[in-house]
Amino acid sequence: MGSGTPGAGSAVRARFGFVTLSLAFSPCPNDTFVFHALTHGLVAGAPGFDVTFADVDVTNTAALNGEFDLVKVSYAALPWLLDKYTLLPCGGALGRGCGPLVLVKDQSISSLGGRSVAVPGDRTTAYLLMRLWSAGDPPASVEIVPFAEIMPAVAAGRFDAGLVIHEARFTFQRYGLHALADLGEWWENDTGLPIPLGAIIAHRDRVDAEQATAWIKESVRLAWENPRASRDFVLDHAQEMEQPVVDQHIALYVNEFTASLGPDGHAAVDALLNRAAAEGLVPTTPLVRA
């Protein structure tokens, strides 16, 4: 396994008789928990993997160039990627009570209208949800900031608000910040559906999507069967090293939809992308599924 620039190492292809595939996902606990078995040779019949760890904004961009065989991306980025990739029905991040937060330091702020906002990426699901939520009163300026720097920047007054994801749900109070909006709660109240965050996609020219789905489902099953097996791997890559936060993160983001999107999961993805397309925020693109 390796880390570094997207596409680093050889991306040789199993379907052409080689032994490894390139795989990219984030260092967040939910991803390392899900993919531990698959990347450690514990899934029978699966090939070896050349692994790159990268934040989702990086993988969204890399996937545009087809740089990985299997890759974790934002659901919001799918309309630009489905000419090359197939959405797999497992392994991603989708659920309830796990949406992005809009954080502020000044509790008198009641909307983003006229404000400056730091966001983790321009094609992230979090930013797409924020654009839908704030459409009637949009911010004055938006700047892409590395995820780990958003809360410190808002706390220091560099931005009026910050859009955060993942473990920030459990740690934002440490920075003296307050939640202006829970976009997952807003989405669920508005649609009745879970919130689609991160997707796993497979390159159609280089990966058999049905096989990849079976590998990932087995990796998820093994992760749940023996959660201690992945603990060191998860902690080695976690940005938040405290075990209680890591455990909360995994419990929230690895759920029934990780094992299988199912009807509600697919309906949530359709609802997000159809609504965004109707608002002119993403291209209209039919989903391609395994």
Side-chain angles (χ1 to χ4, degrees):
M1 292 183 297
S3 60
T5 57
S10 61
V12 291
R13 320 301 179 194
R15 71 174 288 179
F16 295 116
F18 295 99
V19 294
T20 65
L21 294 174
S22 59
L23 168 64
F25 53 87
S26 83
C28 292
N30 60 306
D31 284 348
T32 49
F33 181 77
V34 163
F35 287 103
H36 170 263
L38 186 60
T39 58
H40 286 75
L42 302 178
V43 175
F49 288 92
D50 177 21
V51 179
T52 295
F53 299 96
D55 287 341
V56 72
D57 189 49
V58 175
T59 58
N60 285 345
T61 300
L64 282 172
N65 301 319
E67 292 188 31
F68 296 109
D69 301 323
L70 286 169
V71 57
K72 171 82 171 285
V73 297
S74 300
Y75 274 107
L78 288 183
W80 291 275
L81 300 175
L82 292 178
D83 60 331
K84 298 183 182 75
Y85 288 90
T86 298
L87 171 64
L88 300 187
C90 59
L94 186 150
R96 299 183 185 276
C98 61
L101 302 178
V102 179
L103 302 179
V104 297
K105 183 177 182 181
D106 181 355
Q107 286 186 279
S108 70
I109 294 176
S110 59
S111 77
L112 294 183
R115 303 290 181 174
S116 60
V117 185
V119 304
D122 62 344
R123 287 186 180 171
T124 60
T125 307
Y127 182 42
L128 181 58
L129 286 167
M130 191 192 86
R131 294 173 77 188
L132 291 169
W133 171 74
S134 64
D137 197 14
S141 64
V142 173
E143 184 175 328
I144 298 172
V145 176
F147 167 67
E149 298 175 17
I150 291 177
M151 290 191 293
V154 177
R158 285 180 50 205
F159 300 95
D160 296 315
L163 179 64
V164 300
I165 54 178
H166 296 324
E167 69 270 11
R169 293 187 65 87
F170 314 116
T171 60
F172 69 88
Q173 296 94 337
R174 300 177 188 178
Y175 295 85
L177 302 179
H178 310 276
L180 173 62
D182 182 327
L183 298 181
E185 184 178 283
W186 167 77
W187 172 261
E188 290 176 51
N189 289 338
D190 198 53
T191 66
L193 295 167
I195 182 170
L197 297 168
I200 306 298
I201 56 177
H203 200 294
R204 288 204 298 276
D205 294 337
R206 306 193 296 246
V207 181
D208 183 294
E210 186 174 344
Q211 284 187 328
T213 296
W215 301 333
I216 295 170
K217 283 180 176 288
E218 179 64 4
S219 192
V220 173
R221 188 190 70 78
L222 290 171
W224 278 333
E225 183 178 86
N226 186 9
R228 288 187 174 274
S230 63
R231 178 156 293 185
D232 289 345
F233 181 62
V234 170
L235 288 175
D236 283 347
H237 295 283
Q239 295 179 28
E240 175 53 70
M241 297 299 293
E242 298 173 20
Q243 188 67 59
V245 173
V246 168
D247 291 343
Q248 283 180 292
H249 183 115
I250 292 170
L252 186 60
Y253 293 102
V254 185
N255 53 47
E256 63 183 289
F257 299 107
T258 312
S260 176
L261 280 178
D264 283 353
H266 283 299
V269 177
D270 289 343
L272 176 69
L273 298 184
N274 288 340
R275 180 177 294 193
E279 295 291 332
L281 301 178
V282 305
T284 300
T285 308
L287 293 183
V288 180
R289 299 172 173 139

